[in-house]
Amino acid sequence: MQDKQPDPSLETPEGDSAFPRRTIRSYVMRAGRTTEGQNRALADLGPRFLLNHAPEALDFPKVFERTAPVVLEIGFGMGEASAQIAQVLPDTDFIGCEVHEPGVGAYLKRIGEQGLSNVRIIRHDAVEVLEHMIAPASLAGVHIFFPDPWHKKRHHKRRLIQPPLVALLASRLAPGGYLHCATDWEPYAQQMLEVLSSEPALSNTAEGYAPKPHYRPLTKFENRGLRLGHGVWDLVFRKR
C-alpha cells in the first residue's frame, strides 16, 4: 500500500511442488540510499522497533508488552500507508517485513513522528520469517498490498502470490484470521483470485473481489491511477 515498494517475487524451481527454503524469496533487492532522516531514525528508533531474525517463534505479548491481535505485513515500501493503518487500528499490533533499508528507515521515521507503539519491523525475507518466527495459527491477519505484478508472462512465476506461499500464510492464520491482498494490475488480480480460491483452508469474504476495507487508505500512487481510470482490486479471504 505504497507508491512503489521493493518488489516481492517468488522463485520456484520447475517441477518442485514442495516449498523450497533457499529458492523462494519474498523480495527483490533494489539499490537505494537512505536519507539523513532515515539514518537517524534507524539509529534512534531501531533498537526499540526492529526485531532480529531468529529461528524461534516470537512471543507476541512479550514483543509488544500487551496481548492484542497481530497482523503481518509483507513489503511495506516506505511505510506511509502502513503507519496510517497502525494509527487507525491502535488495538491491533503490526509486524512489517521489509528488506529495503530506505523503506525501513522511512517507516521508523513515521513511527517516531506519529508516536506509534503498536508496530515492529523485521528486516528480513518474509518467507523465512513465516517459517521460523511465526507460530502456526497465531496471526489475526496478513496484508500484502501492491506486490510487483511482473507484467511479462515469462516472469509470472516470480509473482509473490503462488500456491505454496498462500498455503504457508494460511497455516499461520488463526481460525477466522484474514488475508488481504490488493493490486492495481487486473491480470494479477485474476491470478490472485484463482490462487486464493484454490486454497482449501481459506474462504472468500466476497463474491469475487472485496470492497476496499476502511483501514486501507488510498496512496498517492493509487489516487493518480484512479484519476486515470485505472482500477484497484482488493481480495479478502478468511481462515476456515
Side-chain angles (χ1 to χ4, degrees):
M1 180 183 299
Q2 44 282 334
D3 283 13
K4 280 302 177 182
Q5 62 186 37
D7 299 337
S9 68
L10 188 66
E11 298 282 358
T12 306
E14 187 173 350
D16 186 357
S17 61
F19 199 81
R21 292 188 173 273
R22 295 299 177 185
T23 54
I24 288 182
R25 294 190 306 172
S26 65
Y27 64 93
V28 167
M29 288 300 295
R30 283 187 170 179
R33 294 183 178 180
T34 54
T35 66
E36 182 178 342
Q38 292 165 2
N39 281 325
R40 187 163 53 248
L42 285 162
D44 294 345
L45 300 176
R48 178 181 176 189
F49 293 101
L50 289 179
L51 303 176
N52 293 323
H53 175 260
E56 59 183 78
L58 290 170
D59 182 339
F60 294 151
K62 183 177 180 181
V63 167
F64 290 98
E65 300 178 346
R66 67 173 185 172
T67 299
V70 176
V71 171
L72 177 74
E73 181 172 15
I74 298 178
F76 53 74
M78 302 305 282
E80 180 179 4
S82 304
Q84 291 183 55
I85 294 173
Q87 194 166 48
V88 168
L89 302 176
D91 295 327
T92 299
D93 290 330
F94 294 90
I95 296 176
C97 285
E98 180 63 76
V99 298
H100 193 230
E101 188 168 273
V104 173
Y107 195 6
L108 285 170
K109 188 171 181 289
R110 297 180 197 281
I111 288 170
E113 292 170 346
Q114 298 180 31
L116 301 174
S117 60
N118 59 332
V119 176
R120 299 293 185 272
I121 297 171
I122 305 177
R123 194 166 54 188
H124 196 79
D125 176 22
V127 174
E128 292 191 352
V129 170
L130 283 162
E131 290 179 329
H132 303 151
M133 300 183 69
I134 306 299
S138 64
L139 293 174
V142 175
H143 293 169
I144 305 176
F145 299 145
F146 304 103
D148 192 321
W150 292 101
H151 301 90
K152 295 180 181 179
K153 186 174 182 179
R154 69 177 182 272
H155 292 157
H156 286 183
K157 65 181 180 180
R158 300 181 181 180
R159 288 176 172 174
L160 180 62
I161 304 303
Q162 303 279 4
L165 178 63
V166 171
L168 178 59
L169 291 170
S171 74
R172 271 36 182 183
L173 287 171
Y178 69 93
L179 170 57
H180 180 188
C181 301
T183 181
D184 58 355
W185 184 249
E186 187 172 12
Y188 196 10
Q190 293 167 350
Q191 179 187 325
M192 286 182 175
L193 182 60
E194 179 180 352
V195 171
L196 295 174
S197 298
S198 298
E199 171 49 53
L202 299 177
S203 61
N204 199 344
T205 63
E207 294 196 6
Y209 304 110
K212 184 184 77 67
H214 73 94
Y215 56 80
R216 186 178 76 73
L218 295 176
T219 66
K220 294 176 183 178
F221 173 77
E222 188 175 354
N223 271 319
R224 285 199 301 270
L226 291 173
R227 286 197 300 270
L228 293 171
H230 302 163
V232 174
W233 293 265
D234 287 86
L235 302 95
V236 182
F237 280 67
R238 287 203 179 274
K239 177 77 172 286
R240 297 181 189 275

